Amino acid sequence: RASLRGYDYLSRTDEDKFALLLPQADSPVAHAVLRRISEKFHQALKRLSPELPITLEFGTATFPFDGENPTRLFYTAMTHRMSLR
């Protein structure tokens, strides 16, 4: 949560999946947020288990460019993913 802005919304969608709603965020802003999350996650992981290789995968979709309804946006985010180590 420390990597998010006060009006962003985080929700668990599955056992190991989360969704972020980033109002007023274009693709570069979304990628910057994802990089901050990844950096903080991996810093914490190094303290707990430095040898554990974990890769985080992120998908992004921007309204209205990638879709105008939740189903289309979710599909786009799931198919346009990037990995951060």
Side-chain angles (χ1 to χ4, degrees):
R1 293 195 183 270
S3 298
L4 301 177
R5 303 167 300 171
Y7 48 87
D8 293 336
Y9 182 76
L10 170 68
S11 175
R12 182 184 296 264
T13 61
D14 201 353
E15 184 177 315
D16 62 346
K17 293 181 177 74
F18 297 86
L20 292 171
L21 296 178
L22 306 172
Q24 305 299 319
D26 59 10
S27 189
V29 169
H31 287 139
V33 169
L34 298 177
R35 279 191 293 279
R36 281 197 308 269
I37 290 170
S38 180
E39 288 170 10
K40 286 184 184 273
F41 177 86
H42 284 100
Q43 287 172 0
L45 183 64
K46 282 182 186 177
R47 288 191 301 269
L48 297 173
S49 184
E51 303 299 318
L52 189 61
I54 291 183
T55 300
L56 300 178
E57 286 189 358
F58 297 99
T60 61
T62 305
F63 174 85
F65 306 108
D66 295 317
E68 294 191 14
N69 64 61
T71 301
R72 182 66 187 156
L73 290 167
F74 186 77
Y75 174 79
T76 300
M78 292 301 292
T79 57
H80 295 98
R81 299 194 324 201
M82 64 183 199
S83 297
L84 295 174
R85 283 197 150 198

